[in-house]
Every structure is written in C-alpha cells, then in structure tokens.
Amino acid sequence: MRLLKNNISLVYPETLYLCASSNEDMTDGEIADMGLRLAGEVINYIQEWIPGNGLGRLSFIGHSLGGLIIRASLPYLEDYASKMHLFMTLSTPHLGYMYHNSKIVDAGMWFLKKWKGSKCLTELSMTDAPKLEDTYLYKLSKSKGLNWFKHVALLSSF
C-alpha cells in the first residue's frame, strides 16, 4: 500500500496521506473492533493535521482484510459523510470465504480458526452465527457508509 501511496503522491503532491497502523499485528480479533480502531486513527489524524474546516475530500484504499476494516469504520465516520470521495478495495473478500472449492483452503481455515482462535477468520467464513442473516459480514453489507462515496471501485483478481 505504501508503494501505491508513493505513486499517487507523485500525481497529487499536495495531498495528505494516512497509512493506517492501528490494526497492525492485531488482525485476529473481530472486524468491528478493527473498524473502531481505524475510525479513531482517522479522526485523530484529521484533527491533528487538518485544521478547522480544511478537509476537502476523504478517500480510502484498502487491500484484502483492510477493505472490510474500512467498511467497518464508516459508521463511526458519519461526521465526514459529505467529504467521502473514493472507496477502493483490492482483493477484499466482501463476500467472505464461504464459497470456494479448495480442500487446502478449507483445511487451512479450520486449522487457523482452531489453533489461533481467530474471530476474524470465523467472521470471514461466515460461521460466527447459526443463521447467515446474523453473521457479521451480512450485517456489514447492510450498514451505512458506502453510499456516501462519489466513487466506489471493488477490484479483484477472480
């Protein structure tokens, strides 16, 4: 992501960038908690670096789980809804890892969920609730935020 930031900054040198770090080494917990931490980091960055009403546009670019974390942060950033410009994700599992045809992936997911106790992987595999409609990813799909953006791009290699 830093390489992407560096390339964008060549075109838009006056732009401020936040390469979020609030969830580094803490991605085994719940996606909602990661979203709350990201929202706090974004709010603190805006308050520290952009005085008064100086915020022009607010864009987000996320890769893989980062895209879901961004979506989870949006309800906490409603004060900036009118400033939302671009939401772009690269290979983000917006539909989870529920549908795949690889026994190796199945075995790896089972092992990581059991061995590490990863809540995040349980949410990504949509096994965090008995009914699909009660899973976190399903609820995230219904939450507000994406409609605030002028541009939305969901990019994947599938």
Side-chain angles (χ1 to χ4, degrees):
M1 292 307 296
R2 294 191 198 291
L3 179 62
L4 181 60
K5 175 228 162 225
N6 291 340
N7 284 302
I8 293 172
S9 66
L10 291 173
V11 178
Y12 301 103
E14 72 286 348
T15 303
L16 294 175
Y17 300 91
L18 166 64
C19 291
S21 60
S22 59
N23 289 301
E24 287 183 7
D25 300 324
M26 298 183 352
T27 57
D28 287 333
E30 295 180 5
I31 297 170
D33 293 340
M34 291 182 251
L36 181 60
R37 282 193 296 270
L38 175 61
E41 185 176 5
V42 168
I43 291 167
N44 289 338
Y45 185 85
I46 291 170
Q47 290 173 348
E48 184 176 337
W49 290 97
I50 305 165
N53 293 326
L55 180 63
R57 297 187 295 194
L58 187 57
S59 295
F60 292 90
I61 300 173
H63 172 257
S64 193
L65 178 59
L68 293 176
I69 295 170
I70 294 167
R71 283 180 51 201
S73 75
L74 295 178
Y76 304 106
L77 299 171
E78 190 168 6
D79 290 347
Y80 305 103
S82 65
K83 303 291 187 176
M84 300 295 182
H85 183 69
L86 169 69
F87 176 83
M88 179 188 294
T89 60
L90 310 164
S91 296
T92 294
H94 293 284
L95 301 176
Y97 293 128
M98 190 172 167
Y99 300 108
H100 50 77
N101 56 5
S102 172
K103 296 296 178 190
I104 294 173
V105 171
D106 282 341
M109 291 284 283
W110 179 85
F111 179 75
L112 288 172
K113 285 191 290 187
K114 295 296 181 188
W115 183 56
K116 290 185 84 175
S118 176
K119 296 230 183 218
C120 175
L121 288 178
T122 302
E123 291 174 340
L124 285 172
S125 61
M126 301 180 86
T127 56
D128 55 316
K131 291 173 44 181
L132 183 64
E133 295 81 12
D134 295 331
T135 63
Y136 179 74
L137 282 186
Y138 185 88
K139 290 177 182 176
L140 183 61
S141 74
K142 301 288 187 182
S143 67
K144 57 186 170 183
L146 281 183
N147 57 313
W148 301 332
F149 290 91
K150 182 175 181 180
H151 304 286
V152 175
L154 311 176
L155 309 172
S156 182
S157 59
F158 290 105

